[in-house]
Amino acid sequence: MNSLLLTGGRVLDPANGRDEIADLLILDGKIAALGPQAAKDAPAGVKQLKVAGLVVCPGLIDLHVHFREPGQTAKETIATGSAAAVRGGFTSVVCMPNTSPAIDNSATVALVHDRAEAAAAVNVFVAGAITKGIAGEELAQIGSLKNAGVVAITDDGHCIQSNETMRRALEYANMFGLPVMDHCQDYALVTDGVMHEGYWNTVLGLRGWPSVGEEMIVARNILLAAQTGCHVHCQHLSAAGSVRLLREAKQRGVPISGEACPHHFTLTDAAVAGSEKFWSNDGKGICGYDRMSANLPVWPSYHTHFKMNPPLRSAADRAAILEGLADGTIEILCSDHAPHCNYEKEVEFDFAPFGITGLETELALSLMQLYHAKHLGLAELIAKFTINPAKLLKLPKGTLAVGADADVTVFDPGREWVFEAKDSASKSLNSPFLGWSWKGRAMATIVAGRTVWVEQTLAGGV
Ligand SMILES: [Zn+2]
């Protein structure tokens, strides 16, 4: 019998309202007991992991990652992506369908499931495309995708422009009980913008991607969610207006939700002008960095690791995202982990692909910007990585209830470390946060009772 006893940790399980120092027993891949019963029920010779001083919570879920299979394995594979996930403390991920070819039919879903079965250290869930080839025109076979096991549909990376097509997609998705996730971008307003439209794009001479390009589609989604009754989840929100719209719609009971990524609530568009401009304008106080600190991270202007879609926005937008997370308007945290090869990013800003990696840094950034900065309590923060995404996608995850799958994350909210290229398991290194100092780190990642990753200093305890 596979068994593991985690002793002396702070068990934090928002799904069941638990926050206490307790032992946790895992037997045969399931949570078997919690508290005093755990040691009593443990079989002779049980493997032990001493986790006193650490937080033990349900395995973290990232519902927005790009593992690039099939078709773009130079950037990432399911194996390397999931290796990055476990280092970040994640036990489940949801892969986006904008692969090559797109995941818009049951055969491609099966292919990803097979690859995950063979190569992934984490639970890999799949989001199917809304339209064929993610072209925004003809609907994919949504029922067939559901039968193949997708947990949601989205055209992420793209956005359906026709309101009529989106309406029909929501009607079909609703019949099959699938949430629809949307990358909110109005093409007519955004055109070929590469960074936030505001002060800095004017200074830098780069074409602007205005906030209203996102807000317009968030408003559209709210209206269509109300019309159809289908749940719409707005992906990677970046703009203050989006948060306002969402807050108001949720108060009226519209089936709508949203997610935020750490880069959007940490950085701003000033970062595209280089580190000097960033630290002297919007960087003050983020992640515990003092403006006068001697070891502030340094980068040049026009650095393509600060190019993502939607773009980094103004300090006011960043404050609105933080406020939305604090008051519960935004219920879910995710990375939008989007690996790209060095040669693709080592070009002029205009020509670089959008996107950054994030799985290995999102827990630390969230702890610093939300918990250490006192916007959120630890339980509320963990809920946004566990039970909230599990509820949205109806996954039997995100809980430490007895009998549940033993997906468990152990982390140290106070652990100090530096994110270095040599420590990354991702195939790509397009992160704006290389060399940054953090406070808060995953220490062990357990999937179905198996310890798939453990931080060096804790490794002796396994
Ligand atoms: Zn997207």
PDB file of all heavy atoms in Angstrom, residues 65 67 69 77-86 90-93 95 111-126 447-448 450 452:
ATOM      1  N   VAL A  65      -2.884  27.323 -19.108  1.00  0.00           N
ATOM      2  CA  VAL A  65      -1.489  27.126 -19.532  1.00  0.00           C
ATOM      3  C   VAL A  65      -1.441  26.712 -21.004  1.00  0.00           C
ATOM      4  O   VAL A  65      -2.401  26.184 -21.545  1.00  0.00           O
ATOM      5  CB  VAL A  65      -0.760  26.050 -18.680  1.00  0.00           C
ATOM      6  CG1 VAL A  65      -0.850  26.367 -17.198  1.00  0.00           C
ATOM      7  CG2 VAL A  65      -1.275  24.655 -18.971  1.00  0.00           C
ATOM      8  N   PHE A  67       0.863  24.331 -23.169  1.00  0.00           N
ATOM      9  CA  PHE A  67       1.937  23.323 -23.194  1.00  0.00           C
ATOM     10  C   PHE A  67       2.374  22.988 -24.620  1.00  0.00           C
ATOM     11  O   PHE A  67       3.212  22.133 -24.831  1.00  0.00           O
ATOM     12  CB  PHE A  67       1.520  22.063 -22.427  1.00  0.00           C
ATOM     13  CG  PHE A  67       1.666  22.200 -20.921  1.00  0.00           C
ATOM     14  CD1 PHE A  67       2.126  23.372 -20.343  1.00  0.00           C
ATOM     15  CD2 PHE A  67       1.345  21.133 -20.085  1.00  0.00           C
ATOM     16  CE1 PHE A  67       2.262  23.490 -18.956  1.00  0.00           C
ATOM     17  CE2 PHE A  67       1.486  21.239 -18.700  1.00  0.00           C
ATOM     18  CZ  PHE A  67       1.942  22.423 -18.134  1.00  0.00           C
ATOM     19  N   GLU A  69       1.586  21.312 -27.123  1.00  0.00           N
ATOM     20  CA  GLU A  69       1.405  20.053 -27.859  1.00  0.00           C
ATOM     21  C   GLU A  69      -0.050  19.934 -28.256  1.00  0.00           C
ATOM     22  O   GLU A  69      -0.927  20.197 -27.411  1.00  0.00           O
ATOM     23  CB  GLU A  69       1.808  18.849 -26.989  1.00  0.00           C
ATOM     24  CG  GLU A  69       3.315  18.658 -26.931  1.00  0.00           C
ATOM     25  CD  GLU A  69       3.705  17.239 -26.483  1.00  0.00           C
ATOM     26  OE1 GLU A  69       3.457  16.284 -27.260  1.00  0.00           O
ATOM     27  OE2 GLU A  69       4.218  17.104 -25.361  1.00  0.00           O
ATOM     28  N   THR A  77       6.783  21.112 -24.063  1.00  0.00           N
ATOM     29  CA  THR A  77       6.064  19.859 -24.268  1.00  0.00           C
ATOM     30  C   THR A  77       5.229  19.610 -23.011  1.00  0.00           C
ATOM     31  O   THR A  77       5.391  20.307 -22.006  1.00  0.00           O
ATOM     32  CB  THR A  77       7.024  18.668 -24.461  1.00  0.00           C
ATOM     33  OG1 THR A  77       7.761  18.497 -23.244  1.00  0.00           O
ATOM     34  CG2 THR A  77       7.974  18.885 -25.629  1.00  0.00           C
ATOM     35  N   ILE A  78       4.377  18.620 -23.092  1.00  0.00           N
ATOM     36  CA  ILE A  78       3.583  18.291 -21.900  1.00  0.00           C
ATOM     37  C   ILE A  78       4.523  17.853 -20.774  1.00  0.00           C
ATOM     38  O   ILE A  78       4.306  18.177 -19.610  1.00  0.00           O
ATOM     39  CB  ILE A  78       2.532  17.221 -22.258  1.00  0.00           C
ATOM     40  CG1 ILE A  78       1.442  17.865 -23.134  1.00  0.00           C
ATOM     41  CG2 ILE A  78       1.935  16.597 -21.010  1.00  0.00           C
ATOM     42  CD1 ILE A  78       0.465  16.898 -23.763  1.00  0.00           C
ATOM     43  N   ALA A  79       5.612  17.173 -21.143  1.00  0.00           N
ATOM     44  CA  ALA A  79       6.571  16.731 -20.124  1.00  0.00           C
ATOM     45  C   ALA A  79       7.277  17.919 -19.465  1.00  0.00           C
ATOM     46  O   ALA A  79       7.340  18.018 -18.234  1.00  0.00           O
ATOM     47  CB  ALA A  79       7.595  15.785 -20.745  1.00  0.00           C
ATOM     48  N   THR A  80       7.800  18.849 -20.278  1.00  0.00           N
ATOM     49  CA  THR A  80       8.549  19.967 -19.684  1.00  0.00           C
ATOM     50  C   THR A  80       7.605  20.962 -19.001  1.00  0.00           C
ATOM     51  O   THR A  80       7.928  21.510 -17.945  1.00  0.00           O
ATOM     52  CB  THR A  80       9.404  20.699 -20.740  1.00  0.00           C
ATOM     53  OG1 THR A  80       8.546  21.171 -21.803  1.00  0.00           O
ATOM     54  CG2 THR A  80      10.459  19.785 -21.330  1.00  0.00           C
ATOM     55  N   GLY A  81       6.451  21.167 -19.599  1.00  0.00           N
ATOM     56  CA  GLY A  81       5.474  22.067 -18.979  1.00  0.00           C
ATOM     57  C   GLY A  81       5.030  21.543 -17.630  1.00  0.00           C
ATOM     58  O   GLY A  81       4.906  22.296 -16.656  1.00  0.00           O
ATOM     59  N   SER A  82       4.805  20.239 -17.554  1.00  0.00           N
ATOM     60  CA  SER A  82       4.340  19.711 -16.274  1.00  0.00           C
ATOM     61  C   SER A  82       5.482  19.673 -15.257  1.00  0.00           C
ATOM     62  O   SER A  82       5.245  19.810 -14.054  1.00  0.00           O
ATOM     63  CB  SER A  82       3.656  18.344 -16.440  1.00  0.00           C
ATOM     64  OG  SER A  82       4.589  17.334 -16.651  1.00  0.00           O
ATOM     65  N   ALA A  83       6.723  19.559 -15.728  1.00  0.00           N
ATOM     66  CA  ALA A  83       7.867  19.646 -14.805  1.00  0.00           C
ATOM     67  C   ALA A  83       7.947  21.053 -14.200  1.00  0.00           C
ATOM     68  O   ALA A  83       8.250  21.229 -13.015  1.00  0.00           O
ATOM     69  CB  ALA A  83       9.163  19.302 -15.527  1.00  0.00           C
ATOM     70  N   ALA A  84       7.654  22.063 -15.033  1.00  0.00           N
ATOM     71  CA  ALA A  84       7.617  23.438 -14.517  1.00  0.00           C
ATOM     72  C   ALA A  84       6.456  23.595 -13.535  1.00  0.00           C
ATOM     73  O   ALA A  84       6.584  24.253 -12.496  1.00  0.00           O
ATOM     74  CB  ALA A  84       7.479  24.435 -15.666  1.00  0.00           C
ATOM     75  N   ALA A  85       5.336  22.971 -13.849  1.00  0.00           N
ATOM     76  CA  ALA A  85       4.149  23.076 -12.991  1.00  0.00           C
ATOM     77  C   ALA A  85       4.444  22.544 -11.590  1.00  0.00           C
ATOM     78  O   ALA A  85       4.129  23.206 -10.592  1.00  0.00           O
ATOM     79  CB  ALA A  85       2.974  22.325 -13.612  1.00  0.00           C
ATOM     80  N   VAL A  86       5.058  21.378 -11.497  1.00  0.00           N
ATOM     81  CA  VAL A  86       5.276  20.796 -10.165  1.00  0.00           C
ATOM     82  C   VAL A  86       6.274  21.626  -9.357  1.00  0.00           C
ATOM     83  O   VAL A  86       6.132  21.758  -8.135  1.00  0.00           O
ATOM     84  CB  VAL A  86       5.714  19.304 -10.222  1.00  0.00           C
ATOM     85  CG1 VAL A  86       4.651  18.466 -10.898  1.00  0.00           C
ATOM     86  CG2 VAL A  86       7.063  19.109 -10.856  1.00  0.00           C
ATOM     87  N   PHE A  90       2.077  23.197  -8.585  1.00  0.00           N
ATOM     88  CA  PHE A  90       0.805  22.886  -9.243  1.00  0.00           C
ATOM     89  C   PHE A  90       0.650  21.385  -9.490  1.00  0.00           C
ATOM     90  O   PHE A  90       1.591  20.706  -9.898  1.00  0.00           O
ATOM     91  CB  PHE A  90       0.670  23.673 -10.561  1.00  0.00           C
ATOM     92  CG  PHE A  90       0.415  25.113 -10.265  1.00  0.00           C
ATOM     93  CD1 PHE A  90       1.475  25.956  -9.961  1.00  0.00           C
ATOM     94  CD2 PHE A  90      -0.871  25.607 -10.189  1.00  0.00           C
ATOM     95  CE1 PHE A  90       1.252  27.275  -9.597  1.00  0.00           C
ATOM     96  CE2 PHE A  90      -1.110  26.927  -9.828  1.00  0.00           C
ATOM     97  CZ  PHE A  90      -0.042  27.758  -9.536  1.00  0.00           C
ATOM     98  N   THR A  91      -0.562  20.890  -9.216  1.00  0.00           N
ATOM     99  CA  THR A  91      -0.845  19.459  -9.409  1.00  0.00           C
ATOM    100  C   THR A  91      -1.817  19.235 -10.567  1.00  0.00           C
ATOM    101  O   THR A  91      -1.950  18.110 -11.028  1.00  0.00           O
ATOM    102  CB  THR A  91      -1.454  18.854  -8.129  1.00  0.00           C
ATOM    103  OG1 THR A  91      -2.664  19.555  -7.813  1.00  0.00           O
ATOM    104  CG2 THR A  91      -0.487  18.964  -6.956  1.00  0.00           C
ATOM    105  N   SER A  92      -2.507  20.286 -10.997  1.00  0.00           N
ATOM    106  CA  SER A  92      -3.435  20.180 -12.128  1.00  0.00           C
ATOM    107  C   SER A  92      -3.309  21.417 -13.006  1.00  0.00           C
ATOM    108  O   SER A  92      -3.137  22.527 -12.491  1.00  0.00           O
ATOM    109  CB  SER A  92      -4.894  20.091 -11.653  1.00  0.00           C
ATOM    110  OG  SER A  92      -5.122  18.898 -10.944  1.00  0.00           O
ATOM    111  N   VAL A  93      -3.395  21.191 -14.312  1.00  0.00           N
ATOM    112  CA  VAL A  93      -3.384  22.315 -15.250  1.00  0.00           C
ATOM    113  C   VAL A  93      -4.479  22.101 -16.292  1.00  0.00           C
ATOM    114  O   VAL A  93      -4.922  20.980 -16.512  1.00  0.00           O
ATOM    115  CB  VAL A  93      -2.025  22.454 -15.987  1.00  0.00           C
ATOM    116  CG1 VAL A  93      -0.894  22.751 -15.024  1.00  0.00           C
ATOM    117  CG2 VAL A  93      -1.722  21.207 -16.812  1.00  0.00           C
ATOM    118  N   CYS A  95      -4.890  22.838 -20.272  1.00  0.00           N
ATOM    119  CA  CYS A  95      -4.159  23.254 -21.468  1.00  0.00           C
ATOM    120  C   CYS A  95      -5.094  23.952 -22.448  1.00  0.00           C
ATOM    121  O   CYS A  95      -6.189  23.473 -22.737  1.00  0.00           O
ATOM    122  CB  CYS A  95      -3.552  22.033 -22.157  1.00  0.00           C
ATOM    123  SG  CYS A  95      -2.180  21.359 -21.248  1.00  0.00           S
ATOM    124  N   LEU A 111      -5.444  12.702 -28.289  1.00  0.00           N
ATOM    125  CA  LEU A 111      -3.986  12.739 -28.447  1.00  0.00           C
ATOM    126  C   LEU A 111      -3.338  13.421 -27.242  1.00  0.00           C
ATOM    127  O   LEU A 111      -2.362  12.912 -26.674  1.00  0.00           O
ATOM    128  CB  LEU A 111      -3.628  13.510 -29.734  1.00  0.00           C
ATOM    129  CG  LEU A 111      -2.141  13.763 -29.944  1.00  0.00           C
ATOM    130  CD1 LEU A 111      -1.498  12.565 -30.635  1.00  0.00           C
ATOM    131  CD2 LEU A 111      -1.900  15.029 -30.758  1.00  0.00           C
ATOM    132  N   VAL A 112      -3.891  14.555 -26.823  1.00  0.00           N
ATOM    133  CA  VAL A 112      -3.312  15.280 -25.678  1.00  0.00           C
ATOM    134  C   VAL A 112      -3.456  14.447 -24.406  1.00  0.00           C
ATOM    135  O   VAL A 112      -2.509  14.345 -23.613  1.00  0.00           O
ATOM    136  CB  VAL A 112      -3.964  16.675 -25.524  1.00  0.00           C
ATOM    137  CG1 VAL A 112      -3.440  17.376 -24.269  1.00  0.00           C
ATOM    138  CG2 VAL A 112      -3.700  17.526 -26.759  1.00  0.00           C
ATOM    139  N   HIS A 113      -4.612  13.819 -24.236  1.00  0.00           N
ATOM    140  CA  HIS A 113      -4.791  12.959 -23.063  1.00  0.00           C
ATOM    141  C   HIS A 113      -3.764  11.822 -23.061  1.00  0.00           C
ATOM    142  O   HIS A 113      -3.184  11.506 -22.016  1.00  0.00           O
ATOM    143  CB  HIS A 113      -6.216  12.373 -23.040  1.00  0.00           C
ATOM    144  CG  HIS A 113      -7.251  13.343 -22.550  1.00  0.00           C
ATOM    145  ND1 HIS A 113      -8.567  13.290 -22.941  1.00  0.00           N
ATOM    146  CD2 HIS A 113      -7.172  14.401 -21.693  1.00  0.00           C
ATOM    147  CE1 HIS A 113      -9.254  14.262 -22.348  1.00  0.00           C
ATOM    148  NE2 HIS A 113      -8.431  14.949 -21.591  1.00  0.00           N
ATOM    149  N   ASP A 114      -3.534  11.221 -24.216  1.00  0.00           N
ATOM    150  CA  ASP A 114      -2.557  10.127 -24.307  1.00  0.00           C
ATOM    151  C   ASP A 114      -1.153  10.610 -23.977  1.00  0.00           C
ATOM    152  O   ASP A 114      -0.408   9.959 -23.243  1.00  0.00           O
ATOM    153  CB  ASP A 114      -2.554   9.517 -25.719  1.00  0.00           C
ATOM    154  CG  ASP A 114      -3.759   8.626 -25.952  1.00  0.00           C
ATOM    155  OD1 ASP A 114      -4.527   8.405 -24.987  1.00  0.00           O
ATOM    156  OD2 ASP A 114      -3.946   8.165 -27.091  1.00  0.00           O
ATOM    157  N   ARG A 115      -0.778  11.748 -24.539  1.00  0.00           N
ATOM    158  CA  ARG A 115       0.552  12.309 -24.277  1.00  0.00           C
ATOM    159  C   ARG A 115       0.691  12.616 -22.778  1.00  0.00           C
ATOM    160  O   ARG A 115       1.737  12.386 -22.189  1.00  0.00           O
ATOM    161  CB  ARG A 115       0.776  13.602 -25.088  1.00  0.00           C
ATOM    162  CG  ARG A 115       0.877  13.384 -26.581  1.00  0.00           C
ATOM    163  CD  ARG A 115       2.177  12.693 -26.982  1.00  0.00           C
ATOM    164  NE  ARG A 115       3.341  13.435 -26.550  1.00  0.00           N
ATOM    165  CZ  ARG A 115       4.422  12.890 -26.005  1.00  0.00           C
ATOM    166  NH1 ARG A 115       4.481  11.581 -25.817  1.00  0.00           N
ATOM    167  NH2 ARG A 115       5.438  13.638 -25.642  1.00  0.00           N
ATOM    168  N   ALA A 116      -0.360  13.133 -22.198  1.00  0.00           N
ATOM    169  CA  ALA A 116      -0.323  13.483 -20.772  1.00  0.00           C
ATOM    170  C   ALA A 116      -0.178  12.213 -19.927  1.00  0.00           C
ATOM    171  O   ALA A 116       0.596  12.179 -18.966  1.00  0.00           O
ATOM    172  CB  ALA A 116      -1.581  14.252 -20.387  1.00  0.00           C
ATOM    173  N   GLU A 117      -0.912  11.199 -20.301  1.00  0.00           N
ATOM    174  CA  GLU A 117      -0.852   9.918 -19.587  1.00  0.00           C
ATOM    175  C   GLU A 117       0.578   9.376 -19.575  1.00  0.00           C
ATOM    176  O   GLU A 117       1.077   8.887 -18.562  1.00  0.00           O
ATOM    177  CB  GLU A 117      -1.788   8.937 -20.318  1.00  0.00           C
ATOM    178  CG  GLU A 117      -1.952   7.576 -19.674  1.00  0.00           C
ATOM    179  CD  GLU A 117      -2.859   7.634 -18.456  1.00  0.00           C
ATOM    180  OE1 GLU A 117      -3.819   8.423 -18.499  1.00  0.00           O
ATOM    181  OE2 GLU A 117      -2.569   6.909 -17.483  1.00  0.00           O
ATOM    182  N   ALA A 118       1.250   9.534 -20.715  1.00  0.00           N
ATOM    183  CA  ALA A 118       2.601   8.994 -20.859  1.00  0.00           C
ATOM    184  C   ALA A 118       3.669   9.891 -20.243  1.00  0.00           C
ATOM    185  O   ALA A 118       4.685   9.401 -19.749  1.00  0.00           O
ATOM    186  CB  ALA A 118       2.904   8.777 -22.346  1.00  0.00           C
ATOM    187  N   ALA A 119       3.460  11.209 -20.278  1.00  0.00           N
ATOM    188  CA  ALA A 119       4.587  12.111 -19.993  1.00  0.00           C
ATOM    189  C   ALA A 119       4.377  13.110 -18.866  1.00  0.00           C
ATOM    190  O   ALA A 119       5.335  13.742 -18.425  1.00  0.00           O
ATOM    191  CB  ALA A 119       4.943  12.885 -21.273  1.00  0.00           C
ATOM    192  N   ALA A 120       3.153  13.278 -18.389  1.00  0.00           N
ATOM    193  CA  ALA A 120       2.907  14.384 -17.452  1.00  0.00           C
ATOM    194  C   ALA A 120       3.039  13.950 -16.003  1.00  0.00           C
ATOM    195  O   ALA A 120       2.591  12.871 -15.617  1.00  0.00           O
ATOM    196  CB  ALA A 120       1.531  14.982 -17.686  1.00  0.00           C
ATOM    197  N   ALA A 121       3.638  14.831 -15.213  1.00  0.00           N
ATOM    198  CA  ALA A 121       3.726  14.584 -13.774  1.00  0.00           C
ATOM    199  C   ALA A 121       2.498  15.129 -13.058  1.00  0.00           C
ATOM    200  O   ALA A 121       2.310  14.894 -11.870  1.00  0.00           O
ATOM    201  CB  ALA A 121       4.988  15.250 -13.234  1.00  0.00           C
ATOM    202  N   VAL A 122       1.663  15.879 -13.780  1.00  0.00           N
ATOM    203  CA  VAL A 122       0.480  16.488 -13.165  1.00  0.00           C
ATOM    204  C   VAL A 122      -0.786  16.013 -13.863  1.00  0.00           C
ATOM    205  O   VAL A 122      -0.728  15.352 -14.901  1.00  0.00           O
ATOM    206  CB  VAL A 122       0.541  18.041 -13.255  1.00  0.00           C
ATOM    207  CG1 VAL A 122       1.682  18.592 -12.437  1.00  0.00           C
ATOM    208  CG2 VAL A 122       0.647  18.494 -14.707  1.00  0.00           C
ATOM    209  N   ASN A 123      -1.934  16.340 -13.297  1.00  0.00           N
ATOM    210  CA  ASN A 123      -3.209  16.086 -13.972  1.00  0.00           C
ATOM    211  C   ASN A 123      -3.360  17.117 -15.084  1.00  0.00           C
ATOM    212  O   ASN A 123      -3.321  18.322 -14.818  1.00  0.00           O
ATOM    213  CB  ASN A 123      -4.375  16.248 -13.006  1.00  0.00           C
ATOM    214  CG  ASN A 123      -4.215  15.379 -11.776  1.00  0.00           C
ATOM    215  OD1 ASN A 123      -4.196  14.167 -11.866  1.00  0.00           O
ATOM    216  ND2 ASN A 123      -4.081  16.014 -10.614  1.00  0.00           N
ATOM    217  N   VAL A 124      -3.501  16.632 -16.310  1.00  0.00           N
ATOM    218  CA  VAL A 124      -3.646  17.543 -17.442  1.00  0.00           C
ATOM    219  C   VAL A 124      -5.092  17.509 -17.932  1.00  0.00           C
ATOM    220  O   VAL A 124      -5.566  16.477 -18.412  1.00  0.00           O
ATOM    221  CB  VAL A 124      -2.690  17.165 -18.591  1.00  0.00           C
ATOM    222  CG1 VAL A 124      -2.981  18.002 -19.842  1.00  0.00           C
ATOM    223  CG2 VAL A 124      -1.243  17.349 -18.156  1.00  0.00           C
ATOM    224  N   PHE A 125      -5.774  18.626 -17.773  1.00  0.00           N
ATOM    225  CA  PHE A 125      -7.125  18.765 -18.319  1.00  0.00           C
ATOM    226  C   PHE A 125      -7.034  19.596 -19.596  1.00  0.00           C
ATOM    227  O   PHE A 125      -6.093  20.366 -19.777  1.00  0.00           O
ATOM    228  CB  PHE A 125      -8.050  19.438 -17.297  1.00  0.00           C
ATOM    229  CG  PHE A 125      -8.232  18.622 -16.041  1.00  0.00           C
ATOM    230  CD1 PHE A 125      -7.485  18.895 -14.892  1.00  0.00           C
ATOM    231  CD2 PHE A 125      -9.120  17.559 -16.011  1.00  0.00           C
ATOM    232  CE1 PHE A 125      -7.648  18.135 -13.733  1.00  0.00           C
ATOM    233  CE2 PHE A 125      -9.284  16.791 -14.857  1.00  0.00           C
ATOM    234  CZ  PHE A 125      -8.550  17.077 -13.719  1.00  0.00           C
ATOM    235  N   VAL A 126      -8.032  19.390 -20.443  1.00  0.00           N
ATOM    236  CA  VAL A 126      -7.964  20.017 -21.764  1.00  0.00           C
ATOM    237  C   VAL A 126      -9.164  20.928 -21.977  1.00  0.00           C
ATOM    238  O   VAL A 126     -10.300  20.557 -21.670  1.00  0.00           O
ATOM    239  CB  VAL A 126      -7.940  18.931 -22.864  1.00  0.00           C
ATOM    240  CG1 VAL A 126      -7.875  19.571 -24.252  1.00  0.00           C
ATOM    241  CG2 VAL A 126      -6.759  17.990 -22.659  1.00  0.00           C
ATOM    242  N   VAL A 447       1.062  14.428  -6.239  1.00  0.00           N
ATOM    243  CA  VAL A 447      -0.036  14.158  -7.170  1.00  0.00           C
ATOM    244  C   VAL A 447      -0.496  12.722  -6.968  1.00  0.00           C
ATOM    245  O   VAL A 447       0.307  11.785  -7.097  1.00  0.00           O
ATOM    246  CB  VAL A 447       0.396  14.385  -8.635  1.00  0.00           C
ATOM    247  CG1 VAL A 447      -0.743  14.040  -9.595  1.00  0.00           C
ATOM    248  CG2 VAL A 447       0.849  15.826  -8.846  1.00  0.00           C
ATOM    249  N   ALA A 448      -1.762  12.547  -6.649  1.00  0.00           N
ATOM    250  CA  ALA A 448      -2.342  11.218  -6.397  1.00  0.00           C
ATOM    251  C   ALA A 448      -1.469  10.413  -5.420  1.00  0.00           C
ATOM    252  O   ALA A 448      -1.205   9.225  -5.617  1.00  0.00           O
ATOM    253  CB  ALA A 448      -2.531  10.452  -7.699  1.00  0.00           C
ATOM    254  N   ARG A 450       1.651  10.596  -4.835  1.00  0.00           N
ATOM    255  CA  ARG A 450       3.043  10.429  -5.230  1.00  0.00           C
ATOM    256  C   ARG A 450       3.760  11.779  -5.129  1.00  0.00           C
ATOM    257  O   ARG A 450       3.285  12.781  -5.666  1.00  0.00           O
ATOM    258  CB  ARG A 450       3.106   9.935  -6.680  1.00  0.00           C
ATOM    259  CG  ARG A 450       4.197   8.914  -6.972  1.00  0.00           C
ATOM    260  CD  ARG A 450       3.925   8.176  -8.283  1.00  0.00           C
ATOM    261  NE  ARG A 450       3.689   9.076  -9.399  1.00  0.00           N
ATOM    262  CZ  ARG A 450       4.644   9.617 -10.162  1.00  0.00           C
ATOM    263  NH1 ARG A 450       5.914   9.360  -9.933  1.00  0.00           N
ATOM    264  NH2 ARG A 450       4.339  10.412 -11.162  1.00  0.00           N
ATOM    265  N   VAL A 452       5.906  14.176  -6.474  1.00  0.00           N
ATOM    266  CA  VAL A 452       6.484  14.360  -7.809  1.00  0.00           C
ATOM    267  C   VAL A 452       7.575  15.419  -7.826  1.00  0.00           C
ATOM    268  O   VAL A 452       8.345  15.514  -8.774  1.00  0.00           O
ATOM    269  CB  VAL A 452       5.399  14.703  -8.855  1.00  0.00           C
ATOM    270  CG1 VAL A 452       4.497  13.516  -9.110  1.00  0.00           C
ATOM    271  CG2 VAL A 452       4.584  15.913  -8.438  1.00  0.00           C
TER     272      VAL A 452
END
